[in-house]
Amino acid sequence: MDLLLVRLREAGFDAVSAEAAGGGVVALAGLATLRDGSRVFAKTLRTPVPGLFEVEADGLRALRELGGVTTPEVLAATPGLLVLEPLPPRRDGDERFWEDLARTLATLHTTTAADRFGWHRDGWLGRLRQDNTWDADGHAFFAERRILRWLPEPLVAAAFGGEERRALERLCAALPDLLPPRPPVLTHGDLWRENILSGRAGGPALIDPAVSYSWAEADLSMLWCSPRPPASDRFFEVYADAAHLADGWRDRMRVFHLRELLSSLAHDDNPRESAEAVREIIRPFA
């Protein structure tokens, strides 16, 4: 936490102590107490990545201003530091909380339709770059910039042989048959459970986005395919109704989740488990 305190002080925050925050896998993050007794949430990297925190702050603003999502106030965003207002943890056992999240996400996904996929700048998923180059073709965008993009990463390249890579490429070629065409909408982009908190008013709030205009079901797959609290089952019922989910959405979740599995492998996060999950999904295309 010493580095975080140094960076906070350099940015003009009179921090006197900090306690580590759990959940993240990339940044050094913590809840810092300032000399006046107030608290802020801050995170830094040992080696700053130019633009990373600025892009994250931009994504938080976009979700709030364009999609009506509750996000923490950005207090500072520099190449080496992101400072946010602190928020309470999510209420896992509260079914109403998950219903509110479903309506929030459905509103985001049904009110922000665009005419092309991507974003006005590249971003990051974890510590690796996310290619957000604009594309009018959603299947090509998802294949090239959300799946095949990971193949050159060293840990991914080492995990799969030539036939497995070709199976993944064949799956990507078949995406028009696997995923019905849907309009691009503003997506959070990294919507796993640790990026869901409570806002000051008690409703859901989102953090750590990797935003782009993409398919809504890509967001949904993050929650569906990762471990989730039992009370969150209500989320999917409410979301499906509010967002008018097309039939067969459950069958599409694993295909959308390929991007997250490949990213986890590239980040050395549960690499063996992630690689086996990818192999299971691409097996019909081998």
Side-chain angles (χ1 to χ4, degrees), residues 228-248:
R228 54 188 188 269
S232 67
D233 289 347
R234 179 67 177 143
F235 165 88
F236 298 99
E237 299 173 19
V238 174
Y239 179 91
D241 183 60
H244 306 294
L245 268 179
D247 291 343

Side-chain angles (χ1 to χ4, degrees), residues 201-249:
L206 303 182
I207 60 170
D208 290 354
V211 301
S212 67
Y213 284 97
S214 185
W215 280 317
E217 289 183 9
D219 265 353
L220 197 66
S221 70
M222 289 285 292
L223 289 174
W224 180 261
C225 296
S226 60
R228 54 188 188 269
S232 67
D233 289 347
R234 179 67 177 143
F235 165 88
F236 298 99
E237 299 173 19
V238 174
Y239 179 91
D241 183 60
H244 306 294
L245 268 179
D247 291 343
W249 65 268

Side-chain angles (χ1 to χ4, degrees), residues 1 22 153 173 286:
M1 289 291 101
E153 294 294 338

Side-chain angles (χ1 to χ4, degrees), residues 141-164:
F141 177 83
F142 196 75
E144 296 166 13
R145 298 183 175 88
R146 296 296 181 263
I147 298 181
L148 299 178
R149 165 265 176 274
W150 296 104
L151 290 182
E153 294 294 338
L155 293 175
V156 178
F160 301 119
E163 180 53 36
E164 291 170 325

Side-chain angles (χ1 to χ4, degrees), residues 36-57:
D36 64 4
S38 62
R39 308 185 89 185
V40 296
F41 176 84
K43 59 183 181 178
T44 189
L45 297 171
R46 296 193 182 280
T47 302
V49 177
L52 187 149
F53 290 138
E54 293 94 331
V55 168
E56 183 173 334

Side-chain angles (χ1 to χ4, degrees), residues 248-266:
W249 65 268
R250 293 175 181 83
D251 299 329
R252 296 189 289 273
M253 292 293 95
R254 289 204 315 160
V255 174
F256 279 112
H257 199 55
L258 269 172
R259 173 259 203 170
E260 176 60 21
L261 292 169
L262 291 165
S263 168
S264 295
L265 178 54

